[in-house]
Amino acid sequence: MKTLTKASWLALITASTIFTAPAFSRPMTAQDLATMKRVGAPAVSPDEKWTAFGVTETDPQSYERSTAIYLLDLTKPSAVPVRIADKPDASEHSPAFSADGTRLYYLSDASKSEQLWHVAINSEGQSGEPVQASDLKADIIGFKLSPTGGEIAIWGDIAKNCPTFGCDKTNGGDGNRALPGPGTGREYDELFVRHWSSWETPGIYSRIFAFDLKNGQLSGNGTAVDGDLLGDSPSKPFGGGEEIAWSAKGEGLAYALRVADRNEPKSTNLDIYGTSITRAEPKPMPGNSKATDNLPAFSPDNQWFAWAAMERPGYESDRMVVKLLSKNDNEPRVLTGDWDRSVSSIAWAADSKALIVTAQEILDHPAFRVDIADGKVTRLTEGGSVSNITPLKDGSMIYTMSSLQSPPEIYRRAANGTVTQLTNINGEELAEIDDVTVQRFNFKGAGGDQVWGQIIKPTGATGKLPMAFLVHGGPQGSFGNGWSTRWNPKVMAAQGYAVVTVDFHGSTGYGQAFTDSINQDWGGKPLEDLKLGYEAALNTDDQIDGTRSCALGASYGGYMMNWISSQWPDQFDCIINHAGVFDLRSMALSTEELWFDQWDHGGPWTTRPNPEKWNPVNHIDKWKTPTLVIHGEKDFRIPYTQSLMAFTALQENNVPSKLLIFPDENHWVLKGKNSIQWHNAVFDWMAKWTQE
C-alpha cells in the first residue's frame, strides 16, 4: 500500500498549485469521500522555516490506508510539499521538530512495531536517512518533546505493575487479570467491563513515561510519571497530546487523568496533575474542579499555566471555561467566565500575552484570541472549522481548516488578518467535483428561541429536489460548516438531494443554556425544532420538494429516527437509522460510560423521573415508515442490540425495512470498503422511496 502510483505522487508534489477546473465536472461519490487524502496536524520548526505534516492515503482498490510525512518551506510562497522520512511498506506519522530544529521526530511501524524515529533536517530539507530512535517492548501511541530538547514524554498501553515501557508476561507485564483461566472466560469485579469498542483488560492503562534524549536516541528505561495514580493518561478513548504539557523549561510535566475505580463509568472528573521529571511524584494542580479539567498549557515565558475546566460533575457537554494560574499563585483566575462559549483547544501566543483558542460559534468552529490581561475575546477566522493551531513569533498562526466544500488543508493567518492557503492536497480531486451551494437560515423554534439550519444543494441543479433531512448526534453537537468523512452533506447532496440540517435545542455554539435545554427532554423541544425547521426550509427554498423526503440520523440522531417513526409518522417517505437508541431502559443498563445516559435523563434508570416519557419502544405500534437500520457490532456506547430490536419491531409490524450490520465497526463506520457499502445502502434506500 505504501508505494504510490505515479498519478497520486504527482498530485501531491503539485499540491499547492491552483488547479483550473476541468471543462466538465461531476457529482461527488462515496468513492471520492472514502479515498480523499487526509491532512494531519502540522508541526512547525523552531526557526519557523518549515512545517511538517502527515497525509493519509487510501488505496482505491484495496482501501488500505497509509500515512506519509511531508515538509513544506514556509519562507517560499511558491513552495510545494516534499515527501520525507520515507520507508517502503511503512507508515510515518505524528511529526515534531527537535528544540534546535535539526531533527524531525515521528512515529513509524517500519520495524513492525510503532517506534520513535527521526530524520535530520537542514536548510534544504531532509539530510540523510531515517534513524530509529527507540526499540521498546510496547508500541508507542504518542509522544511529546520537551521545549529544551533533552527529554521526551511517550505514552502507550502499559500494565500498571510494569516499571518499564513494556514488560514480558513472565514478570507480570501483561496485567491481564481478566483471564484467570483455564478457559477463555474473562472475570470482572467492577466496571468498566468494556469501553467504546473494546473489552477492558484490567491492569492495563494508557501511561506516560519520560525518557532522556541523547544524540537523538531514547536513553535508559524511562520514568513512569503516574506514580501511585491509577487511570488512563491520555484519557480513553479519544485523548491525545492535547492532554499533556511540558513546562517551558522542561523540568516538569502536566497531564490530565481520570481515576480508574468502580465509579469511573459515572465520572467526568478528569484532574490535571503536575510532576517533576526527577521525582515523578504527581500532585494535583491547584484549582482542579470536581468535573473535567483538561487541555493543560504552560506559557512560553514560564509565568502562566492555562487549562479548560467544566463546573458540573457527570456532564460531558458542560461549558469549558479557560482558567489561568500565575507561577507564584495557588488560586486560578477564570479568564472566559463572561464568554458563553465552550473552549475546545488552547495554544499560547508566542509573546505569552494571549491564548489562541477554538470554540463552536453558530455553525462554524473558528479561532479566537483571548487576552490574558482582561479576558477580551476577538474572533480571528471566518467561516469553516479550525483546528491544530500553532501561533508564530510574528503574530501569525498555522492551522488546519475545513468546510462543507472541502476537507482540511493547512492555512496561515498573518498578524494583520490576511489568510493564505498553504496546501491544496486534494485540489486535483476537488477540481473534478461539483461544488454545492450552502444557505443558512434561522427561524423561531421551541419557546420562541432562534434556531439555525443549513440547506446544501448541488450547484446548478434544476427542477424540484427531494429532501434529505439530517439529524445530528451528540445530542450536544452541531451539523456545522466542517468536513466529515462519515456523515458528509456534500456527498449526499451530490445524489440530487436538498440536504437540510437543523441545530435543534441541545446543539452547541449557541450558549450553554441552549445546550443544556435538551436535558431530560430528548423527545420534546428538539422534535418541535425539527418540525419547525422542516417548514422553515421549505419557506426558504422553493426548489425543495416537500412531498418527497427521507430522514437520516445516527446515535442521538438515530434515537430521533425511532422517535419520529411514532411522533411524526406521516412526514417522511423513508427513514435511515444508524446506531440509534431504541429502548432507553436497556440502553441505561448496557451502555459503558454511564454518565452519558444518567446526566441526560436524570439519573440511574431506577430513580430517574418519568423514565418512560421519551422511550421509543413504547410507541412502536405507530411505526409505518420504510426504514433502513444500520449498526456496528463493536459499538459499546449504543450496543448493536438496540438496532436488532428496532429491526425486529419493524418486521413484526410488517413495515418495509432492511438491516445492515458491520461486524468490524464500532459506533462509527471507519473502514474504506465499509464506507462504500454504507453509502451504497443509504443511497439505494433513499432513491427507492423518494423517486418520482
Side-chain angles (χ1 to χ4, degrees), residues 49-50 71 84 102 120-128:
K49 174 179 172 61
W50 303 103
L71 193 67
I84 64 167
T102 61
I121 301 293
N122 62 19
S123 60
E124 302 302 317
Q126 176 177 339
S127 174

Side-chain angles (χ1 to χ4, degrees), residues 620-621 623-627 646-657 689:
I620 57 176
D621 58 311
W623 285 15
K624 59 183 179 181
T625 308
T627 300
F647 181 64
T648 299
L650 289 160
Q651 291 282 298
E652 289 289 278
N653 285 355
N654 293 316
V655 177
S657 50
W689 300 102

Side-chain angles (χ1 to χ4, degrees), residues 267-280:
S267 172
T268 59
N269 186 26
L270 276 75
D271 284 328
I272 298 176
Y273 296 85
T275 182
S276 69
I277 300 306
T278 55
R279 292 193 303 273

Side-chain angles (χ1 to χ4, degrees), residues 531-553:
K531 289 181 175 181
L532 293 168
Y534 188 101
E535 293 302 320
L538 296 180
N539 292 333
T540 300
D541 189 338
D542 59 11
Q543 191 176 21
I544 303 174
D545 185 351
T547 68
R548 294 183 293 144
S549 61
C550 191
L552 307 85

Side-chain angles (χ1 to χ4, degrees), residues 156-171:
D157 288 343
I158 307 294
K160 182 61 180 178
N161 59 1
C162 181
T164 57
F165 198 86
C167 285
D168 295 326
K169 291 185 178 182
T170 54
N171 57 14

